[in-house]
Amino acid sequence: MQPNRLLKFACPLREQGCSRRFRSQAGRTYHIRTYHTNHNIITPPHSPPSPGTPEPGLPPSPSQEEYIPHPDPPSPEPSLPSSSPECPAQPKKEYHPWLTGRPCDEEGKFLPEGTPPPPRSNPGPDDWDPFEDEVQFLTGDFLFRQEEMSAGNIDVLLDLWALSMAKHDDLGPFSSYEHMYATIDDIKLGDASWKSFTTCYAGELGPNAPSWQLEDYEVWFRDPDVVIRNMLDNPDFDGHVDYAPYIDLDKTGQRKWNEFMSGNFSWRHATDIYEADASTEGAMYCPIILGADKTTVSVATGHVEYHPLYLSTGFVHNTVRRAHRNAVVPIGFLAIPKSDRKYDNDPAFRKFKRQLYHTTLTTILKPLRPGMTKPVIRRCPDGHYRRIIYDLGGFIADYPEQVVLAGTVSGWCPKCTALPTDIDGPRGRRTQAFTEELLDVLDSKTLWDEYGIDDDILPFTHDFPRADIYEILTPDLLHQVIKGTFKDHLVAWVGEYLVLEHGEAQANEILDDIDRRIAAAPLFPNLRRFPHGRRFKQWTGDDSKALMKVYVSAIAGHIPAEMTTAISSFIDVCYIVRRADLDHTALKAFDAALAKFYVHRESFRTSGVRPKGFSLPRQHSLSHYRHLIEEFGAPGGVCSSITESRHITAVKKPWRRSNRYKALGQMLVTNQRLDKLAAARVNFVSRGMLDPKNSRPPGMAPGPVVGRENSGELEDEEEEQPTAGPPGTVRVAMVTGNVTLARTRIRQYPRSLDRLAVDIHQPRLPELARRFLFDQTNKDPEVTSDDVDLADCPTIEGKVSVFHSAVASFFAPSDECGLRGMRRERIRSCPLWRGKSPRRDCAFVVEDEDKPGMRGMNVARVQLFFSFVHNRKEYPCALVDWFTTMGRSRDSETGMWKVRPDIRQGRRLSSVIHLDSFLRGAHLLPIFGKKFLPINFDYSDSLDAFAGYYVNHFADHHSHEIIF
């Protein structure tokens, strides 16, 4: 393959396996600094082996005796015959002993261990079929997938291209948009054609039958077996999949839940499959995750609605599923029966819609049924063939859809039998077997009134082995927690309380002040600002998540302390369940926070906001979350936010690209072409013909490693078992906290320390810097710079470099962040931010690594980043103003630590400290109290205008985990 002429600058480290090329010298320089000289990439002393045959021993999980509010009946823990009572010394994964995902050949015969996978294809390195060359593929991919250009504009561009190239006796890559579309359609990879079937009302028709009984309903779908075959055969997923259920243990023997295959559900069902048919030993368990949700693509043209059905698999990692790297695929568009308004509440019409829904799901999923009892041979992302056994593993849906899926009555819980009038009271777990027993002995009215069962509905899971609709309904963070309990309940209740307590006029004044407090939050990386408070008409899930970060401090003082505590404890619940990894310690913290929320939310009942109590299905669903985490792993991997965001690429954008006339057919073709282009790109990349965008540095493979760097040494290194990766993959350790100065110094500052002190109006800078240098060079730990005279401190003669920021890198897998859970944030200290005012950020400074959380840290505000050289050694450091902690524990009302400026003898306590003592940035929120904020108050003054501050552990997930 000839290198792209536009990418003329090659990485100089080609001998290390890096084949990246760049358009400019600047791009190459940035790449080298980021990937090849990154201090946060540490080469391990050895590469641990890939997971092989599971070890026979598994320590039992620690017994859980903590209080769980209204717990679900316990589900059996996965267990293996124990070979050793001792906890493992290192973290490891115990893989399922029977369904191990063992490689086989195309006929299903198992291969000897270590056998390499067969080559995927034999085309030559220049075979771009069906495209002529790289330019033609990249042009088609750019115009259709990235730019989403209309057919007319494609023709205009190609005509201009042809006109320009005609001077050189050459032609453009395509002659017309029809030529481009036809070429894309000829791609064989990723092909899963759309089919349709028509259904109608099958009951008796009366003389005046309503229109809905006379219509035919068309359903479009893809063969789910073909979709899964394409998903399994996607080399882009290599290193991001689990070929067998497993139990994840940390170095103390404590179990963790993260990916879908780490849950009890996968382990239990894999065991059931083997016990029912021992010939499945060695097969790969493939749980199928479905998702369905109606979406509106246009309001202006009459609420055009579609009801897509999505399919994913549990063997891919949650990060892949959330990134939509073709791991969540639309496999159907369900019919949406409509009729005249007079039939909206017609029981017969509602019954027909529900029955049509389940019949449609059964028909679409029917091709999977044979593979649920006998393994089928499929090629996997690593190139090996495996014997695959399918299973219905989860269904992502919001509450209204869960009601339809479970065949329950609205207002009842689809997971348990608690009465809707006392939904947090006594209950039992719903199961398909229990429901069938009730159907045999009770009449329809009793089922409806006492158990919330609609006996007119037979859930589609009855047609598939091992499937239980009540079991496979997954937690829904978006609608149950983020938008449900927080936005629709708690935030709304605060407004209702203020009206009841103060009247509407004064309540509006208080709400305006709450908005001003929200707008006064200091700047912080990845923290969304609300310049006008929370006064926006339509909330998204991202709006709610952003508001959570600053809401508690804004309401404190305006509502009773118990209400503030209820909201704070609920946000703690929300942050815990949104983590990427949860262990027994996290689940215990979840139980405690949820119990605290249940206790303090009673203040909304006693105040008159909720006089009838809290029988709210979405809020009640929290009581099931511990069980669901143990079943399905981290809830973020099976949340409806995945299908909601998939609507954009699979439904809304394709609809906008259509001509609006019979748009569904055009949308299906668009989806099919997008899948083909994505599969073709993956194929070309895997064959080395195409340089991947945003590719990993050489030798890096997915899989987090936790450690901490201090002065160049990795301490408390903890490695997890590596996931399977391509041959030659080398594991790379990542540090959890490392702060480095910006790459370029600011040139307008003086280079002398004395002159710099005058320039920045910090006369004590030379003294503080000299005392800092004494502490750095002094070898007697019992003597500090405070014990000696300034004259005994070394002088700094070298040039000083000033920087306006430093970059903190740390491991934060629960946050939306960069490569393998690593996150980079910038801590700023500059005299003018965006031409308006100074910006001096705060940071956490580690003072005692042996003490946990805030007890081992302090907060400082950075006044200056600088460095100097002494005795040929460079010292990166910062001039900081200190805060001191208020109290020995977190504030009982807000759950946050409080700090105040440390003032000694009438002035701020300042010092110069080494950058190695920084952990990361800190976000402080003012303690507003009961006073109203001035109308013209500016957020840039927030860190200077108040006597005390909350240490905001809601700023992001990493802060929530380290500040306790």
Side-chain angles (χ1 to χ4, degrees):
M1 180 185 67
Q2 295 295 323
N4 192 323
R5 289 176 295 176
L6 296 177
L7 305 178
K8 57 184 179 180
F9 293 95
C11 177
L13 301 175
R14 299 182 68 84
E15 294 181 357
Q16 299 181 15
C18 184
S19 60
R20 294 294 303 275
R21 302 182 67 87
F22 306 91
R23 289 184 174 86
S24 65
Q25 177 67 43
R28 179 170 65 178
T29 301
Y30 180 83
H31 164 77
I32 294 171
R33 287 178 173 177
T34 301
Y35 291 135
H36 298 298
T37 60
N38 188 346
H39 298 295
N40 296 311
I41 301 178
I42 302 171
T43 305
H46 65 277
S47 177
S50 299
T53 305
E55 299 181 21
L58 173 63
S61 299
S63 60
Q64 297 296 306
E65 300 179 356
E66 64 271 10
Y67 169 70
I68 304 175
H70 310 294
D72 279 328
S75 58
E77 284 275 324
S79 60
L80 290 171
S82 177
S83 61
S84 172
E86 298 180 358
C87 291
Q90 294 294 329
K92 65 178 181 178
K93 291 181 179 178
E94 296 282 2
Y95 290 90
H96 197 274
W98 300 303
L99 267 64
T100 57
R102 183 178 171 186
C104 64
D105 59 21
E106 293 185 63
E107 297 179 355
K109 298 179 181 178
F110 291 121
L111 300 174
E113 186 176 353
T115 303
R120 288 185 175 272
S121 59
N122 297 314
D126 295 323
D127 186 355
W128 293 87
D129 185 67
F131 299 92
E132 295 178 0
D133 52 28
E134 179 182 5
V135 172
Q136 193 180 56
F137 168 74
L138 291 177
T139 301
D141 186 58
F142 172 75
L143 295 179
F144 190 85
R145 182 181 63 84
Q146 296 184 55
E147 190 60 25
E148 301 178 357
M149 188 175 290
S150 66
N153 287 345
I154 291 174
D155 270 352
V156 171
L157 178 62
L158 293 174
D159 288 344
L160 292 173
W161 196 326
L163 183 63
S164 174
M165 300 298 289
K167 298 178 181 180
H168 306 283
D169 296 327
D170 200 353
L171 297 175
F174 300 102
S175 60
S176 65
Y177 77 86
E178 292 99 336
H179 181 203
M180 188 183 84
Y181 289 172
T183 306
I184 295 173
D185 291 338
D186 287 341
I187 300 174
K188 305 302 182 186
L189 298 168
D191 188 17
S193 59
W194 288 91
K195 309 173 185 178
S196 69
F197 65 85
T198 302
T199 185
C200 61
Y201 177 71
E204 295 184 3
L205 298 176
N208 297 314
S211 58
W212 60 268
Q213 293 183 356
L214 305 175
E215 290 185 11
D216 290 333
Y217 299 97
E218 188 176 36
V219 177
W220 286 88
F221 71 102
R222 285 165 152 170
D223 187 332
D225 187 37
V226 174
V227 171
I228 297 175
R229 184 197 302 262
N230 293 338
M231 203 175 293
L232 283 163
D233 196 19
N234 188 344
D236 190 40
F237 295 160
D238 191 19
H240 303 270
V241 300
D242 297 306
Y243 293 114
Y246 65 91
I247 296 174
D248 199 0
L249 303 173
D250 65 16
K251 63 181 181 181
T252 67
Q254 185 175 207
R255 186 176 175 189
K256 299 187 297 183
W257 289 267
N258 34 61
E259 311 300 341
F260 190 93
M261 297 286 265
S262 71
N264 294 351
F265 179 95
S266 296
W267 188 284
R268 185 172 63 252
H269 277 235
T271 301
D272 291 344
I273 291 169
Y274 171 77
E275 290 178 348
D277 183 359
S279 67
T280 59
E281 183 176 2
M284 172 183 165
Y285 176 68
C286 180
I288 297 162
I289 300 175
L290 302 171
D293 184 27
K294 287 183 182 178
T295 183
T296 302
V297 295
S298 174
V299 176
T301 57
H303 287 85
V304 180
E305 285 185 312
Y306 292 99
H307 198 165
L309 175 68
Y310 298 102
L311 180 145
S312 184
T313 52
F315 69 84
V316 297
H317 290 172
N318 294 339
T319 51
V320 177
R321 194 178 304 114
R322 296 191 67 84
H324 303 313
R325 291 162 51 184
N326 267 34
V328 180
V329 180
I331 62 165
F333 280 81
L334 310 182
I336 304 178
K338 295 183 181 295
S339 189
D340 299 332
R341 287 186 177 86
K342 62 182 179 180
Y343 296 112
D344 286 350
N345 295 319
D346 184 358
F349 186 40
R350 294 203 304 268
K351 174 182 175 181
F352 169 72
K353 288 192 291 185
R354 289 187 168 200
Q355 290 178 338
L356 174 63
Y357 180 83
H358 285 275
T359 302
T360 299
L361 291 178
T362 299
T363 304
I364 293 175
L365 299 175
K366 186 177 180 180
L368 297 176
R369 191 155 48 196
M372 293 181 176
T373 52
K374 294 295 180 182
V376 293
I377 312 301
R378 298 289 183 263
R379 186 162 55 185
C380 296
D382 62 355
H384 276 297
Y385 288 90
R386 287 178 173 82
R387 303 170 67 222
I388 309 296
I389 192 82
Y390 295 144
D391 191 32
L392 291 182
F395 206 114
I396 301 172
D398 59 11
Y399 176 72
E401 194 108 16
Q402 287 185 356
V403 168
V404 177
L405 283 163
T408 54
V409 179
S410 183
W412 290 72
C413 175
K415 301 288 291 186
C416 70
T417 58
L419 295 173
T421 54
D422 185 19
I423 204 165
D424 288 324
R427 81 281 183 97
R429 186 181 299 168
R430 291 188 188 272
T431 65
Q432 189 166 288
F434 177 62
T435 300
E436 289 174 350
E437 291 179 6
L438 294 177
L439 290 171
D440 290 338
V441 298
L442 299 178
D443 60 87
S444 298
K445 187 176 186 306
T446 304
L447 290 168
W448 184 284
D449 293 339
E450 297 184 13
Y451 292 93
I453 297 174
D454 184 354
D455 64 346
D456 289 328
I457 306 304
L458 186 66
F460 76 97
T461 49
H462 282 70
D463 297 314
F464 299 93
R466 301 178 302 276
D468 184 336
I469 189 59
Y470 310 110
E471 182 185 27
I472 68 175
L473 291 177
T474 65
D476 181 12
L477 292 175
L478 178 63
H479 294 97
Q480 294 170 344
V481 178
I482 298 167
K483 294 179 70 175
T485 303
F486 178 69
K487 175 238 177 183
D488 293 341
H489 298 163
L490 298 178
V491 175
W493 293 352
V494 168
E496 293 173 20
Y497 164 78
L498 293 174
V499 172
L500 287 173
E501 182 69 16
H502 303 286
E504 187 170 355
Q506 189 174 353
N508 287 334
E509 292 180 7
I510 296 175
L511 289 172
D512 285 338
D513 186 62
I514 291 175
D515 288 337
R516 287 193 291 272
R517 292 180 175 191
I518 292 171
L523 295 175
F524 191 70
N526 296 316
L527 182 72
R528 174 180 166 183
R529 287 203 64 248
F530 293 91
H532 307 289
R534 59 175 184 83
R535 299 194 67 177
F536 34 88
K537 294 183 179 179
Q538 185 171 355
W539 285 34
T540 65
D542 288 339
D543 293 330
S544 295
K545 286 185 283 188
L547 186 61
M548 283 182 187
K549 299 179 179 183
V550 296
Y551 190 63
V552 173
S553 67
I555 59 176
H558 281 316
I559 63 174
E562 281 210 348
M563 290 185 183
T564 304
T565 303
I567 295 173
S568 175
S569 57
F570 167 75
I571 299 178
D572 278 328
V573 168
C574 182
Y575 271 69
I576 293 170
V577 297
R578 287 165 57 197
R579 292 181 184 177
D581 292 273
L582 296 108
D583 54 20
H584 279 297
T585 301
L587 294 184
K588 186 175 180 179
F590 167 80
D591 292 335
L594 184 60
K596 188 175 182 181
F597 170 62
Y598 282 160
V599 169
H600 291 280
R601 74 173 178 179
E602 288 296 318
S603 58
F604 289 103
R605 186 203 302 263
T606 57
S607 65
V609 175
R610 295 292 303 177
K612 296 183 179 180
F614 307 96
S615 289
L616 303 165
R618 287 181 294 176
Q619 198 168 127
H620 157 77
S621 66
L622 289 168
S623 63
H624 296 295
Y625 266 54
R626 178 180 181 129
H627 168 70
L628 295 177
I629 290 168
E630 293 172 340
E631 287 288 286
F632 302 120
V638 286
C639 171
S640 65
S641 59
I642 296 173
T643 54
E644 287 276 357
S645 56
R646 194 67 173 95
H647 287 336
I648 298 172
T649 55
V651 183
K652 297 187 178 183
K653 285 187 175 181
W655 182 83
R656 294 177 191 133
R657 296 173 68 169
S658 71
N659 63 12
R660 313 296 196 271
Y661 176 70
K662 295 185 177 180
L664 181 56
Q666 301 169 59
M667 294 161 59
L668 302 180
V669 172
T670 297
N671 273 288
Q672 190 164 335
R673 288 171 177 163
L674 289 172
D675 290 345
K676 289 186 173 187
L677 283 169
R681 172 175 283 277
V682 169
N683 177 260
F684 295 147
V685 169
S686 67
R687 289 161 56 192
M689 300 167 59
L690 200 63
D691 187 35
K693 295 290 182 69
N694 302 320
S695 61
R696 295 192 297 268
M700 298 193 89
V705 179
V706 180
R708 169 155 167 69
E709 185 184 272
N710 184 15
S711 301
E713 297 180 359
L714 186 68
E715 299 180 352
D716 300 328
E717 180 174 311
E718 175 186 326
E719 290 194 6
E720 296 182 0
Q721 292 290 345
T723 53
T729 294
V730 179
R731 294 275 302 176
V732 179
M734 300 302 235
V735 299
T736 56
N738 182 39
V739 181
T740 57
L741 290 172
R743 291 173 180 166
T744 307
R745 70 177 180 86
I746 307 301
R747 298 185 179 275
Q748 62 262 34
Y749 288 93
R751 304 302 300 275
S752 163
L753 194 62
D754 293 330
R755 293 175 56 196
L756 177 61
V758 175
D759 188 75
I760 65 172
H761 308 291
Q762 295 284 356
R764 298 188 65 228
L765 177 62
E767 175 192 348
L768 297 175
R770 291 177 64 184
R771 294 190 179 278
F772 158 76
L773 186 56
F774 177 89
D775 290 331
Q776 291 291 311
T777 57
N778 176 41
K779 296 182 179 180
D780 186 353
E782 297 183 1
V783 179
T784 68
S785 59
D786 294 332
D787 302 325
V788 300
D789 293 332
L790 181 61
D792 296 327
C793 297
T795 58
I796 300 173
E797 303 293 346
K799 292 182 178 180
V800 177
S801 299
V802 175
F803 304 84
H804 279 175
S805 65
V807 176
S809 303
F810 48 89
F811 183 67
S814 299
D815 287 295
E816 295 181 3
C817 46
L819 181 69
R820 298 201 306 154
M822 287 303 296
R823 178 175 170 183
R824 300 179 70 192
E825 71 175 20
R826 197 168 290 273
I827 306 170
R828 301 183 185 275
S829 179
C830 53
L832 198 62
W833 174 249
R834 294 182 175 174
K836 182 181 178 183
S837 57
R839 176 173 175 178
R840 312 290 184 189
D841 289 348
C842 299
F844 290 112
V845 179
V846 179
E847 295 190 329
D848 188 343
E849 293 186 350
D850 295 329
K851 293 183 179 179
M854 275 294 292
R855 292 173 176 84
M857 297 187 296
N858 212 333
V859 178
R861 189 178 183 191
V862 182
Q863 297 296 335
L864 181 73
F865 284 116
F866 67 103
S867 68
F868 61 88
V869 176
H870 180 77
N871 289 340
R872 305 174 71 177
K873 181 178 180 180
E874 184 177 10
Y875 292 89
C877 46
L879 172 67
V880 301
D881 289 343
W882 291 100
F883 292 86
T884 184
T885 306
M886 301 167 62
R888 297 183 179 180
S889 61
R890 295 190 291 179
D891 176 47
S892 60
E893 179 181 352
T894 62
M896 293 187 279
W897 286 88
K898 296 195 293 186
V899 296
R900 65 171 182 265
D902 196 341
I903 299 177
R904 308 283 177 89
Q905 298 178 350
R907 66 182 182 185
R908 290 291 298 267
L909 178 64
S910 303
S911 61
V912 172
I913 60 176
H914 199 286
L915 233 56
D916 277 352
S917 60
F918 279 50
L919 177 61
R920 57 155 301 182
H923 189 231
L924 302 185
L925 291 170
I927 300 176
F928 297 102
K930 297 183 178 180
K931 295 182 179 179
F932 280 58
L933 205 61
I935 294 177
N936 58 351
F937 185 84
D938 191 88
Y939 70 91
S940 61
D941 299 322
S942 292
L943 291 176
D944 299 302
F946 296 89
Y949 299 88
Y950 296 113
V951 182
N952 185 14
H953 66 284
F954 298 129
D956 52 47
H957 288 279
H958 185 258
S959 296
H960 191 264
E961 293 181 34
I962 67 172
I963 306 173
F964 53 89

